[in-house]
Amino acid sequence: QVQLVESGGGSVQAGGSLRLSCVASGYSIGSKCMGWFRQAPGKEREGVATISPGGSRTYYADSVKGRFTISRDNAKNTVYLQMNSLKPEDTGMYYCAARTYYRSCSVSFEYDTWGQGTQVTVSS
């Protein structure tokens, strides 16, 4: 059974940092696009960052560029999201997701495997 399990969320003050981890089991992520998405109550889920199978290409939403860094360790079947200089608008449930590579790892095509999410709350 394929599973993605996120961890590392919590409550921090504005300006603080968190590091999220996503561990995959049941398959190898080495050939997968991996991404982090987030969703606040009443808002659509949005792509935060994605990374290509080999880690050479990354995508970031404009709102997090320069503050967040996505990385992966395929040997550990793990993807990370380092979040610095957090803002209240970063608050939400953060989900790890995967999909088969096609052309790029953009969010234009469906990410079809999802974790259960980890909550991030940033207080002003």
Side-chain angles (χ1 to χ4, degrees), residues 11 19 21 33 36 43 51 70 86 99 107 109 113 122:
S11 297
R19 189 193 195 203
S21 297
C33 295
W36 288 96
K43 297 183 65 177
I51 187 166
I70 188 171
L86 284 161
R99 68 164 171 87
V107 296
F109 296 94
T113 302
V122 185

Side-chain angles (χ1 to χ4, degrees), residues 44-95:
E44 290 187 0
R45 186 160 55 194
E46 64 173 336
V48 175
T50 64
I51 187 166
S52 61
S56 61
R57 287 188 171 272
T58 56
Y59 159 84
Y60 297 96
D62 287 343
S63 59
V64 307
K65 284 181 179 177
R67 300 189 297 119
F68 290 12
T69 303
I70 188 171
S71 61
R72 65 193 295 159
D73 186 338
N74 289 342
K76 295 181 178 180
N77 248 16
T78 302
V79 181
Y80 306 95
L81 185 68
Q82 179 68 45
M83 305 186 295
N84 298 326
S85 302
L86 284 161
K87 303 175 180 179
E89 51 262 46
D90 295 319
T91 293
M93 186 71 74
Y94 282 68
Y95 299 90

Side-chain angles (χ1 to χ4, degrees), residues 101-121:
Y101 175 80
Y102 178 69
R103 295 185 175 180
S104 75
C105 292
S106 77
V107 296
S108 297
F109 296 94
E110 184 76 14
Y111 277 76
D112 54 14
T113 302
W114 295 84
Q116 294 300 303
T118 185
Q119 179 68 35
V120 172
T121 302

